[in-house]
Amino acid sequence: MIALLPLIFGVLGEIVQIFPWTPGHQLEIRYGGQWINPGMELDIRETTTIPEISSINLRCNQKYIILFIDLDVILPGTRIQSVILHWYQPNLIMDCTGPSPPSTLIPDEDHGDKSHPASYIAPRAPPNTHHRYVYLLFAQPPTYQFPQCFSHVFPETVSARSGFDIRRFVQAAGLDPPIAMNYFIGRHEPAEGEITTMPLSATTTSFRSVDCPTKTVGFA
């Protein structure tokens, strides 16, 4: 059994280093019938489809952006640790027809702009590993435009999604720090007969270099 307490402080420490911010609300995440408590373990086979997302104190006239990232990727054939973007979804709105709190977030089909999502890729932690998967919810500015310097993230490939520099993205997109978060420890228990190898340990970290004009909003 993996020790969860160090991971809880570890993931919050990494996120707080990125954003000088204290989480205001827990982002409610549900895969199938399983609600996610921060830091809980979850078999990645239960995460194949987009989860239900909700939170409290959301506004009907506000749009939101979700980012879903893996903090613990070792790039194939290397000892380089990086971050992979699993999902970017803009133009989320609160479902004001349902009971509250909490309120479910759904895509706004009539958003009237060209902001498209980077489609959901289910967690893919290698066999016999545990990865930290983090959901972050941001308020979407009224004049939001996707930063074109990150247009490489749309293909569903490791090369497109790896090295995602979340701090750089938030600055380029002109976003304030996130208003809610949640995370889980994704585990991959190998199936019978599945070929496994010992995962490499990381010796360095790396982010993709991007050349973006910076819009600093919520932090320096």
Side-chain angles (χ1 to χ4, degrees):
M1 173 67 69
I2 192 167
L4 290 185
L5 189 58
L7 285 172
I8 290 173
F9 288 105
V11 71
L12 291 178
E14 290 194 28
I15 295 301
V16 169
Q17 286 177 18
I18 296 171
F19 309 109
W21 148 87
T22 300
H25 304 297
Q26 177 176 318
L27 190 61
E28 304 292 342
I29 304 291
R30 181 166 68 175
Y31 281 102
Q34 178 68 65
W35 288 102
I36 304 301
N37 293 316
M40 73 177 290
E41 283 194 22
L42 189 65
D43 191 318
I44 63 171
R45 286 169 288 196
E46 300 178 41
T47 65
T48 56
T49 59
I50 294 176
E52 177 184 333
I53 301 173
S54 59
S55 190
I56 61 173
N57 296 332
L58 302 181
R59 302 198 307 269
C60 291
N61 60 349
Q62 172 70 60
K63 292 182 180 180
Y64 300 91
I65 294 170
I66 198 87
L67 293 177
F68 178 39
I69 56 175
D70 179 352
L71 297 178
D72 296 311
V73 173
I74 305 296
L75 298 180
T78 76
R79 291 182 178 270
I80 299 173
Q81 182 171 342
S82 191
V83 173
I84 276 190
L85 175 68
H86 277 265
W87 189 28
Y88 156 76
Q89 177 66 62
N91 299 308
L92 290 169
I93 58 173
M94 188 174 76
D95 181 6
C96 294
T97 63
S100 62
S103 301
T104 302
L105 287 165
I106 58 174
D108 180 7
E109 300 297 339
D110 188 28
H111 49 77
D113 59 30
K114 298 181 180 180
S115 297
H116 301 294
S119 56
Y120 179 86
I121 298 176
R124 298 175 180 175
N128 298 314
T129 63
H130 295 76
H131 283 201
R132 296 167 296 172
Y133 293 95
V134 181
Y135 277 95
L136 296 166
L137 182 70
F138 299 84
Q140 181 171 317
T143 59
Y144 174 74
Q145 291 184 327
F146 180 83
Q148 291 305 306
C149 50
F150 277 86
S151 59
H152 59 270
V153 303
F154 293 104
E156 297 181 30
T157 63
V158 172
S159 60
R161 301 289 184 92
S162 62
F164 183 70
D165 188 336
I166 184 170
R167 183 184 181 93
R168 194 78 179 95
F169 176 84
V170 169
Q171 290 175 331
L175 303 178
D176 282 320
I179 59 176
M181 72 166 289
N182 204 338
Y183 79 102
F184 63 90
I185 311 302
R187 69 175 187 273
H188 182 166
E189 301 293 343
E192 184 177 352
E194 184 176 1
I195 298 175
T196 64
T197 58
M198 289 297 295
L200 297 174
S201 58
T203 57
T204 187
T205 58
S206 176
F207 293 99
R208 184 172 183 143
S209 177
V210 291
D211 184 15
C212 301
T214 300
K215 302 177 184 178
T216 302
V217 175
F219 52 91

